[in-house]
Amino acid sequence: MEYTLLKSKDDLTLEHNKKTPLYLKTGFSGTAGEAIKDENGNITLFVDPRYHIQADLETRKKQTKNKKINVVKLDMQTSFIDALKKTLIKKDTLFIPSKSTKLSTFNTFKKNLKGINILPYETEDETKKKAEIEYISNDISGKEYKEKLSNLKKLNKNVPKNILITSLEDVSYLLNLRSFEEKNTSCIKAKLLILKDKTILFSDDNIILDEIETRPLSALKDVLSKIDDEILIDKNTITLFDYNLIKNPHIMRTNHISKMSSIKTKAEINHYISAFKRLDDALYSFQGKIVPGKSEFELKEIFEKELIRHGAKGTSFKTILAVAENSSSIHYSNYDKNKIIKDGDILLLDCGGFYEGGYATDITRVFLCGNIKNNPNEDEIKKIYTAVLKAQLNVYFGDFDDTKSMDDKARKILNPYEKQGFLFPHSLGHGVGIPVHQAPPTLTPNPKYNSKLKNNMVFTIEPGLYQEGKFGIRLENTVYYDKNCTPCGKKISLSKFPYEENLIDKTMLNKQEQKWLETWQKASSKLQKVPNLALKTAKPCTQTKKETQK
């Protein structure tokens, strides 16, 4: 049997969107998912726990009598490659698109799919219009691009002098360049080649940088064909197509750009504080517009208008907005025009925006429409909301130095609710940078990704509980690490928005947790009354060690 892997058209497609084969063939609009199509046209879609419900809903519309879409629901311990092993048999052929398959993915296929013929194929590139490019000032980035390039060369001093950078996030970070013309991204579409004697930027946009030569993207193949020396590449970001253009590739042990970008400068932290203040303002405005009678679609439109009105250039990812039972779908984004919010309903909003610096913001809150007493599930909603809040407070205010310990703490609090049908099927958090999901750090139960936290790392803390057909609760704050801020558990929240008092059962919180909650809610109310307070300092920690020990 022959199968084709359905992915994006080329390596410059930044996420699963409505132009990709994945969406066109399956109708699945999630930002993570893989599918294979057999020679008869039948499709198998593989999705992780965040998309189980969404995949069922969206693929139904594409089902026909002759072509079926089978949804394989992965758990947190099962990878796409694990599922493929059970689907494919020896002598099957899997065609993979070389321009959207990373080298590391290809190597994983080769290593694990023994007996399967894995054949790359090329896809045609999309015709792209020239984008408007914005240069990020040193006041926001904290470092000029020349300094970043110099630091990168120093970090790679014991390896080949030539470096090819194909990650759009890495290039955008290194050169302090952004573009806001596509939804849910601020990246420029470019690749960077650092040679011993010069640096070449490959882009079809109009970019002029001192000491950097600019050529069209189509010139990359010709330039690489003339280089016999070793070229350093990152196997996790380079595509199979680009890798095959290099005569003498040398795989880097460490992607130093990821490490550089994960440690934010003081200027970047200050910009984050400003950006999150404006995001909070948008949430305050939106909160007052959650009234009975509006549809999910109307509410999404209202929120995104408020986001832009309060200074955002666009969304930093596809807004997740779900009413009542739809909130049980972790990454729900269907925005049903027929789903009308009622008095007593809850609304889950996971949202973020890009501001002038082009760094992603991210927060999740659960709002109450009207009076919770009008909801027949009042007691259960309050119990689950408070359990998730309990996990959030303990992780945020707790003193942790590594990522897995935080995830473990949250799971210890939330796992008992599995017996009642409520699951916590995703990681506790992720790093945040130009992309909304940046690594490091990654807060997950998988020990493979455990890492020590470093000063000015920005990441999310987002515990959640969900039961299909009932509802879901997630509370997410974006924070940055500061080892000197002992009273705050070495973490300072960039998100300041308050929790929903009418959904909290305070009898479930111990005295310490009640104090933490009171501290958070008071700080939030002060920020609402004094709009510019968050802009005054990058370390808004006013507690003393003595106060927190009372």
Side-chain angles (χ1 to χ4, degrees), residues 497-523:
F497 199 78
Y499 301 112
E500 179 56 72
E501 285 280 352
N502 292 319
L503 295 180
I504 302 172
D505 179 358
K506 292 185 179 177
T507 64
M508 290 175 59
L509 304 177
N510 61 35
K511 289 184 179 180
Q512 178 63 78
E513 291 162 350
Q514 290 182 24
K515 286 182 180 179
W516 286 337
L517 176 62
E518 184 181 359
T519 297
W520 181 277
Q521 300 292 69
K522 279 185 177 180

Coordinates of all heavy atoms in Angstrom, one line a residue, residues 497-523:
F497 N -4.2 39.7 35.1 CA -5.6 39.7 35.2 C -6.1 38.9 36.3 O -5.6 37.8 36.6 CB -6.2 39.2 33.8 CG -7.6 39.5 33.6 CD1 -7.9 40.8 33.2 CD2 -8.6 38.6 33.8 CE1 -9.3 41.1 33.0 CE2 -9.9 38.9 33.6 CZ -10.3 40.2 33.2
P498 N -7.2 39.3 37.0 CA -7.7 38.6 38.2 C -8.4 37.3 37.9 O -8.8 37.0 36.7 CB -8.6 39.6 38.9 CG -9.1 40.4 37.7 CD -7.9 40.5 36.8
Y499 N -8.6 36.4 38.9 CA -9.4 35.2 38.7 C -10.8 35.5 39.0 O -11.2 36.5 39.6 CB -8.8 34.1 39.7 CG -7.4 33.8 39.4 CD1 -6.4 34.1 40.3 CD2 -7.0 33.2 38.2 CE1 -5.0 33.8 40.1 CE2 -5.7 32.9 38.0 CZ -4.7 33.2 38.9 OH -3.4 32.9 38.6
E500 N -11.7 34.6 38.6 CA -13.2 34.9 38.7 C -13.6 34.5 40.1 O -13.8 33.3 40.4 CB -13.9 34.0 37.6 CG -15.4 34.1 37.6 CD -15.9 35.5 37.5 OE1 -15.8 36.1 36.4 OE2 -16.4 36.1 38.5
E501 N -13.9 35.5 40.9 CA -14.2 35.3 42.3 C -15.5 34.4 42.5 O -15.5 33.6 43.4 CB -14.4 36.6 43.0 CG -13.2 37.4 43.4 CD -12.5 36.9 44.6 OE1 -13.1 36.0 45.3 OE2 -11.3 37.3 44.9
N502 N -16.4 34.6 41.6 CA -17.7 33.8 41.7 C -17.6 32.4 41.4 O -18.6 31.6 41.4 CB -18.8 34.5 40.9 CG -19.1 35.9 41.5 OD1 -19.3 36.1 42.7 ND2 -19.3 36.9 40.6
L503 N -16.4 31.9 40.9 CA -16.2 30.5 40.6 C -15.3 29.8 41.6 O -14.9 28.7 41.4 CB -15.6 30.4 39.2 CG -16.5 30.9 38.0 CD1 -15.8 30.7 36.7 CD2 -17.8 30.1 38.0
I504 N -14.9 30.5 42.6 CA -13.9 30.0 43.6 C -14.6 29.5 44.8 O -15.4 30.2 45.4 CB -12.9 31.1 44.0 CG1 -12.1 31.6 42.7 CG2 -11.9 30.5 45.0 CD1 -11.2 32.8 43.0
D505 N -14.3 28.3 45.2 CA -14.8 27.7 46.5 C -13.6 27.8 47.5 O -12.7 26.9 47.5 CB -15.2 26.3 46.3 CG -15.7 25.6 47.6 OD1 -15.6 26.3 48.7 OD2 -16.1 24.4 47.6
K506 N -13.6 28.8 48.3 CA -12.4 29.1 49.1 C -12.3 28.1 50.2 O -11.2 28.0 50.8 CB -12.5 30.5 49.7 CG -12.4 31.6 48.6 CD -12.3 33.0 49.2 CE -12.2 34.0 48.0 NZ -12.2 35.4 48.5
T507 N -13.3 27.3 50.5 CA -13.1 26.2 51.5 C -12.2 25.1 51.0 O -11.7 24.3 51.8 CB -14.5 25.6 51.9 OG1 -15.0 24.9 50.7 CG2 -15.5 26.6 52.3
M508 N -11.9 25.1 49.7 CA -11.0 24.1 49.2 C -9.5 24.6 49.3 O -8.6 23.8 49.0 CB -11.3 23.8 47.7 CG -12.6 23.1 47.4 SD -13.0 22.9 45.7 CE -11.5 22.0 45.1
L509 N -9.3 25.8 49.6 CA -8.0 26.4 49.7 C -7.5 26.4 51.1 O -8.3 26.8 52.0 CB -8.0 27.8 49.1 CG -8.4 28.0 47.7 CD1 -8.4 29.4 47.3 CD2 -7.6 27.1 46.7
N510 N -6.3 26.0 51.4 CA -5.7 26.1 52.7 C -5.4 27.6 53.0 O -5.5 28.5 52.1 CB -4.5 25.2 53.0 CG -3.4 25.5 52.0 OD1 -3.1 26.7 51.7 ND2 -2.7 24.5 51.6
K511 N -4.9 27.9 54.2 CA -4.7 29.3 54.6 C -3.6 29.9 53.7 O -3.7 31.1 53.3 CB -4.2 29.4 56.1 CG -5.4 29.1 57.0 CD -4.9 29.2 58.5 CE -6.1 29.0 59.5 NZ -5.7 29.1 60.9
Q512 N -2.5 29.2 53.4 CA -1.5 29.7 52.6 C -2.0 30.0 51.2 O -1.7 31.1 50.6 CB -0.3 28.7 52.5 CG 0.8 29.2 51.6 CD 1.5 30.4 52.1 OE1 2.3 30.4 53.0 NE2 1.2 31.6 51.5
E513 N -2.8 29.1 50.6 CA -3.4 29.4 49.3 C -4.3 30.5 49.3 O -4.4 31.3 48.3 CB -4.0 28.1 48.8 CG -3.1 26.9 48.5 CD -3.7 25.6 48.5 OE1 -4.9 25.5 48.9 OE2 -3.0 24.6 48.1
Q514 N -5.1 30.7 50.4 CA -6.0 31.9 50.4 C -5.2 33.2 50.5 O -5.6 34.2 49.9 CB -6.9 31.7 51.7 CG -7.9 30.6 51.5 CD -8.8 30.5 52.8 OE1 -9.0 31.5 53.5 NE2 -9.4 29.4 53.0
K515 N -4.0 33.2 51.2 CA -3.2 34.4 51.2 C -2.6 34.7 49.8 O -2.6 35.8 49.4 CB -2.1 34.2 52.2 CG -2.5 34.3 53.7 CD -1.3 34.1 54.6 CE -1.7 34.2 56.1 NZ -0.6 34.1 57.0
W516 N -2.2 33.6 49.2 CA -1.7 33.8 47.8 C -2.7 34.4 46.9 O -2.4 35.3 46.1 CB -1.2 32.4 47.2 CG 0.1 31.9 47.8 CD1 1.1 32.7 48.4 CD2 0.5 30.6 47.8 NE1 2.1 31.9 48.8 CE2 1.8 30.6 48.4 CE3 0.0 29.4 47.4 CZ2 2.5 29.4 48.6 CZ3 0.7 28.2 47.5 CH2 2.0 28.2 48.2
L517 N -3.9 33.8 47.0 CA -5.0 34.3 46.2 C -5.3 35.8 46.5 O -5.5 36.6 45.6 CB -6.3 33.5 46.4 CG -7.5 34.0 45.7 CD1 -7.4 33.9 44.1 CD2 -8.7 33.1 46.1
E518 N -5.4 36.1 47.8 CA -5.6 37.5 48.2 C -4.6 38.4 47.6 O -4.9 39.5 47.1 CB -5.7 37.6 49.7 CG -6.1 39.0 50.2 CD -6.1 39.0 51.7 OE1 -5.9 38.0 52.4 OE2 -6.4 40.1 52.3
T519 N -3.3 38.0 47.7 CA -2.2 38.8 47.2 C -2.4 39.1 45.7 O -2.2 40.2 45.2 CB -0.9 38.1 47.4 OG1 -0.6 37.9 48.8 CG2 0.3 38.9 46.8
W520 N -2.7 38.0 44.9 CA -2.9 38.1 43.5 C -4.1 39.1 43.1 O -4.0 40.0 42.3 CB -3.2 36.8 42.8 CG -3.4 36.9 41.4 CD1 -4.5 37.2 40.7 CD2 -2.4 36.7 40.4 NE1 -4.3 37.2 39.3 CE2 -3.0 36.9 39.1 CE3 -1.0 36.4 40.4 CZ2 -2.3 36.8 37.9 CZ3 -0.3 36.3 39.2 CH2 -0.9 36.5 38.0
Q521 N -5.2 38.9 43.8 CA -6.4 39.6 43.5 C -6.2 41.1 43.8 O -6.7 42.0 43.1 CB -7.7 39.1 44.2 CG -8.0 37.6 43.8 CD -8.5 37.4 42.4 OE1 -7.8 37.6 41.5 NE2 -9.8 37.1 42.3
K522 N -5.6 41.4 44.9 CA -5.3 42.8 45.3 C -4.4 43.5 44.3 O -4.6 44.6 43.9 CB -4.7 42.8 46.7 CG -5.7 42.7 47.9 CD -5.0 42.9 49.2 CE -6.0 42.8 50.3 NZ -5.3 43.0 51.7
A523 N -3.3 42.8 43.9 CA -2.4 43.3 42.9 C -3.1 43.6 41.6 O -2.9 44.6 41.0 CB -1.2 42.4 42.7

